[in-house]
């Protein structure tokens, strides 16, 4: 038995539009005393720079690597929470869906002013509001 026909197309589209868009630092930075621009770099790349440099330069890259690892972890956790929200919504757990999408947005808000998960959050909140009036 397939439940795909019961999943709102708008829900699928909103999730798909945001999924895989935020993976790490995707904005210009001036990180640390060396004012490193980490935009679009991954922590694994910085790990190579830590190994390839020495002294203070190596330490600067190590600090940046640690910070990027946290950004990447939060991006992954936010996407997991958004995915969980869509599953909860489809399962009829509207309260859980809103809590999960709020978690995704809170994680992302530490880094982005304009949240990629906000359209999905707004949709879920509207749907919950509609369900209260029925």
């Amino acid at each position: 038995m397939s439940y795909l026909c019961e999943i709102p197309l708008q829900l699928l589209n909103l999730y798909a539009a945001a999924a895989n868009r935020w993976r790490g630092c995707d904005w210009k930075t001036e990180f640390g005393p060396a004012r490193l621009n980490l935009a679009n770099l991954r922590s694994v790349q910085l790990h190579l720079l830590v190994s390839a440099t020495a002294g203070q330069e190596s330490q600067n890259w190590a600090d940046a690597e640690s910070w990027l690892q946290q950004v990447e972890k939060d991006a992954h956790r936010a996407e997991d929470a958004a995915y969980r929200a869509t599953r909860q919504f489809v399962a009829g757990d509207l309260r859980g869906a809103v809590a999960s999408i709020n978690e995704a947005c809170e994680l992302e808000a530490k880094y982005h002013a304009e949240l990629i998960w906000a359209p999905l959050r707004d949709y879920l909140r509207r749907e919950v509001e509609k369900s209260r009036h029925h």
Side-chain angles (χ1 to χ4, degrees):
M1 180 172 186
S2 173
Y3 294 98
L4 189 57
C5 60
E6 297 174 25
I7 301 173
L9 185 58
Q10 189 173 4
L11 176 73
L12 292 175
N13 288 339
L14 288 168
Y15 178 81
N20 295 311
R21 277 193 42 213
W22 178 42
R23 289 282 169 229
C25 180
D26 54 7
W27 61 94
K28 186 178 185 311
T29 66
E30 292 184 1
F31 182 85
R35 300 173 61 155
L36 302 171
N37 183 6
L38 305 176
N40 302 314
L41 294 175
R42 302 299 304 249
S43 63
V44 67
Q45 293 169 302
L46 298 191
H47 185 74
L48 295 173
L49 289 168
V50 171
S51 301
T53 57
Q56 186 57 50
E57 184 180 9
S58 181
Q59 184 58 53
N60 291 341
W61 288 119
D63 293 344
E65 177 190 16
S66 178
W67 181 78
L68 267 183
Q69 286 172 339
Q70 185 60 52
V71 174
E72 292 165 1
K73 180 180 173 184
D74 285 344
H76 182 75
R77 288 175 51 213
E79 184 144 342
D80 282 351
Y83 179 72
R84 187 171 63 250
T86 61
R87 292 181 55 91
Q88 289 167 313
F89 181 82
V90 170
D93 180 6
L94 304 184
R95 196 172 280 173
V98 169
S100 292
I101 197 60
N102 285 342
E103 177 186 338
C105 288
E106 287 168 14
L107 284 162
E108 187 187 0
K110 295 191 292 186
Y111 307 101
H112 290 145
E114 191 172 319
L115 306 179
I116 64 163
W117 293 114
L120 180 58
R121 178 199 60 204
D122 297 344
Y123 170 80
L124 292 173
R125 286 179 177 174
R126 282 192 306 274
E127 292 301 305
V128 167
E129 195 57 37
K130 279 188 214 174
S131 74
R132 289 183 182 152
H133 296 335
H134 287 114

